[in-house]
Amino acid sequence: RAAEVCLMCSRPVHPESRTVALIDGRKAMFCCPACALTVQRQSGKAVKLIALTDYETRAELAPDRAYIVENSDLNHCARTAALLDQTKTPHHVQFDRCSPGYLAFAHRPVAENFLKNHGGRLMRLSELAAHQP
């Protein structure tokens, strides 16, 4: 079976942040919720998240039941390696389309424990959608 690839960034879909959305009535796979929300922002098309993945168990999770941790120190998609210019001088990555990272959890206490260890902000999906530019 071929590896799943994110519709937005063409990166591999990570088993702990797999996101499924409907775009124009068609299912699309994303590596994380950030990419699905980016499609909505950039294309103007309605994007409806229909399945997230519980970070802890990797089980599918209904988006309206998820506790979302935003911008923790853990982002499987973000590229942190320095880029080198023609003189081999490193330039640190200042933007990654999969940032800020969003991880979904089925249970609030698990999400809160994750926050203690990795930082970030806890929210529900309705807050996430409302706070998008």
Side-chain angles (χ1 to χ4, degrees), residues 7 11 24 29 35 39 43 48 50 53 66 69 80 88 96 100 102 111-112 115 120 123 127 129 133:
L7 177 72
R11 293 177 181 168
D24 291 336
M29 190 73 52
C35 273
V39 165
S43 72
K48 180 181 180 187
I50 58 172
T53 301
V69 172
T80 56
K88 307 285 186 200
D96 190 283
Y102 298 105
E112 289 172 340
L115 282 171
M123 64 179 83
E127 296 171 81

Side-chain angles (χ1 to χ4, degrees):
R1 174 178 143 167
E4 294 176 314
V5 176
C6 178
L7 177 72
M8 179 65 201
C9 70
S10 299
R11 293 177 181 168
V13 172
H14 309 287
E16 55 278 297
S17 60
R18 182 177 185 266
T19 300
V20 182
L22 286 178
I23 303 172
D24 291 336
R26 297 175 61 193
K27 269 188 178 180
M29 190 73 52
F30 298 94
C31 62
C32 61
C35 273
L37 295 168
T38 297
V39 165
Q40 182 169 298
R41 257 192 332 271
Q42 291 184 353
S43 72
K45 294 180 180 180
V47 174
K48 180 181 180 187
L49 298 178
I50 58 172
L52 298 175
T53 301
D54 177 37
Y55 180 78
E56 177 187 39
T57 65
R58 297 183 176 182
E60 192 169 281
L61 175 62
D64 61 341
R65 299 185 53 93
Y67 294 91
I68 309 289
V69 172
E70 174 192 50
N71 207 23
S72 71
D73 66 0
L74 192 82
N75 184 336
H76 297 287
C77 296
R79 304 205 178 180
T80 56
L83 300 172
L84 298 178
D85 67 14
Q86 65 272 19
T87 66
K88 307 285 186 200
T89 303
H91 294 275
H92 296 285
V93 176
Q94 295 188 14
F95 169 78
D96 190 283
R97 73 182 67 204
C98 296
S99 292
Y102 298 105
L103 297 173
F105 293 84
H107 305 289
R108 185 180 185 101
V110 175
E112 289 172 340
N113 189 53
F114 180 88
L115 282 171
K116 288 178 192 171
N117 295 314
H118 298 282
R121 176 176 165 230
L122 184 62
M123 64 179 83
R124 296 302 292 241
L125 184 64
S126 58
E127 296 171 81
L128 174 62
H131 127 174
Q132 290 299 302

